[in-house]
Amino acid sequence: MEELLLNPDYTDYIKSIQLFYNTNLTKLYYKNKYIPEVLAKFNTIIWASLDGVKETHNYCRDGSNWDNVYSNWVEYKKQVPNLSVTSVLSAPVLIDIERYIEFLEQEKCSFFDHEYLPIGYNKLLDIKLYPDELFNQIIENAKQKLLASTLDKNSVDNSIAILNKYVAERNVDIINYNEVKIKIENRDLFGRSNIKFNDLS
């Protein structure tokens, strides 16, 4: 595409292509090329895959570092102002929903959240496993904060629909809280970020 962009016969065609670029924002360079500068040449929309912000991001994306990710966000935004966010609505993200919304409002970016689909040991991130009093409080708080925000209505509606799905699909009869606690404590032993689950509360 870079080569064709320089060819007058293809320039308009290449610029008419809408390029969706999904990234976790951990890298600025690929094969010695400055990625934001390459993307800026095209009709690019960047979808930044972030699972919450700050410590929550570091916990959910074990091995990632929010300070580095945010610094890269700033660099990408300089070159490609059309940055959007996609996040999975896991338990830690929902517990820390205020800071997530604050980031989205501050950056004036669009967003599209996704449902958390548990696999393996990561089931501990599933809000549906939480006791009634916590589950109800966290879900209701997230709904209220989203509805009170200045964020795009369609994106908010999508997130609310996910939360309603969590409520509808929840089956407390199958939850073994001792097993969940053991899995959380076990994951904390091997996390690269050194952030423990209890640090998030």
Side-chain angles (χ1 to χ4, degrees):
M1 286 178 72
E2 281 185 289
E3 290 174 11
L4 290 173
L5 193 61
L6 300 174
N7 184 332
D9 293 335
Y10 287 94
T11 303
D12 289 343
Y13 169 67
I14 294 299
K15 286 198 172 280
S16 74
I17 297 171
Q18 193 163 55
L19 180 65
F20 290 89
Y21 187 80
N22 188 275
T23 173
N24 59 17
L25 293 177
T26 56
K27 305 283 186 219
L28 283 175
Y29 291 89
Y30 178 71
K31 293 187 177 179
N32 296 321
K33 288 194 173 189
Y34 187 59
I35 303 168
E37 197 170 79
V38 172
L39 295 176
K41 300 173 184 176
F42 306 105
N43 179 13
T44 305
I45 295 175
I46 295 176
W47 282 97
S49 182
L50 309 175
D51 287 336
V53 298
K54 303 186 180 181
E55 296 87 357
T56 300
H57 171 85
N58 292 351
Y59 183 82
C60 292
R61 293 290 180 100
D62 190 36
S64 182
N65 179 282
W66 174 254
D67 292 336
N68 178 54
V69 166
Y70 182 70
S71 174
N72 290 348
W73 168 278
V74 171
E75 291 302 309
Y76 273 88
K77 197 170 183 181
K78 285 178 190 173
Q79 299 286 336
V80 185
N82 198 351
L83 253 73
S84 298
V85 170
T86 177
S87 182
V88 174
L89 291 181
S90 65
V93 173
L94 291 172
I95 291 168
D96 193 24
I97 195 74
E98 287 90 350
R99 289 198 300 180
Y100 176 54
I101 291 172
E102 184 182 326
F103 171 79
L104 295 171
E105 289 179 328
Q106 168 194 308
E107 296 298 326
K108 297 180 174 56
C109 60
S110 58
F111 72 105
F112 189 81
D113 292 327
H114 296 278
E115 176 185 358
Y116 176 76
L117 300 172
I119 46 172
Y121 73 93
N122 284 323
K123 288 180 180 176
L124 63 99
L125 301 181
D126 189 351
I127 192 64
K128 297 191 298 288
L129 297 181
Y130 284 53
D132 283 344
E133 60 275 14
L134 286 175
F135 175 82
N136 294 332
Q137 182 181 345
I138 292 166
I139 293 292
E140 193 54 40
N141 179 62
K143 285 182 180 180
Q144 288 177 10
K145 298 296 183 190
L146 284 163
L147 290 170
S149 73
T150 60
L151 300 173
D152 172 70
K153 185 183 181 317
N154 289 333
S155 296
V156 167
D157 288 347
N158 171 66
S159 298
I160 298 289
I162 292 170
L163 298 179
N164 288 335
K165 189 174 182 189
Y166 289 167
V167 172
E169 291 179 349
R170 189 160 181 262
N171 184 354
V172 292
D173 294 335
I174 64 169
I175 299 171
N176 180 332
Y177 292 113
N178 192 46
E179 182 183 326
V180 173
K181 182 181 180 212
I182 289 168
K183 287 186 178 187
I184 290 172
E185 291 171 345
N186 189 53
R187 182 194 191 267
D188 284 353
L189 291 175
F190 301 100
R192 288 175 285 179
S193 69
N194 294 323
I195 297 174
K196 309 297 183 200
F197 188 81
N198 285 338
D199 297 338
L200 301 177
S201 56

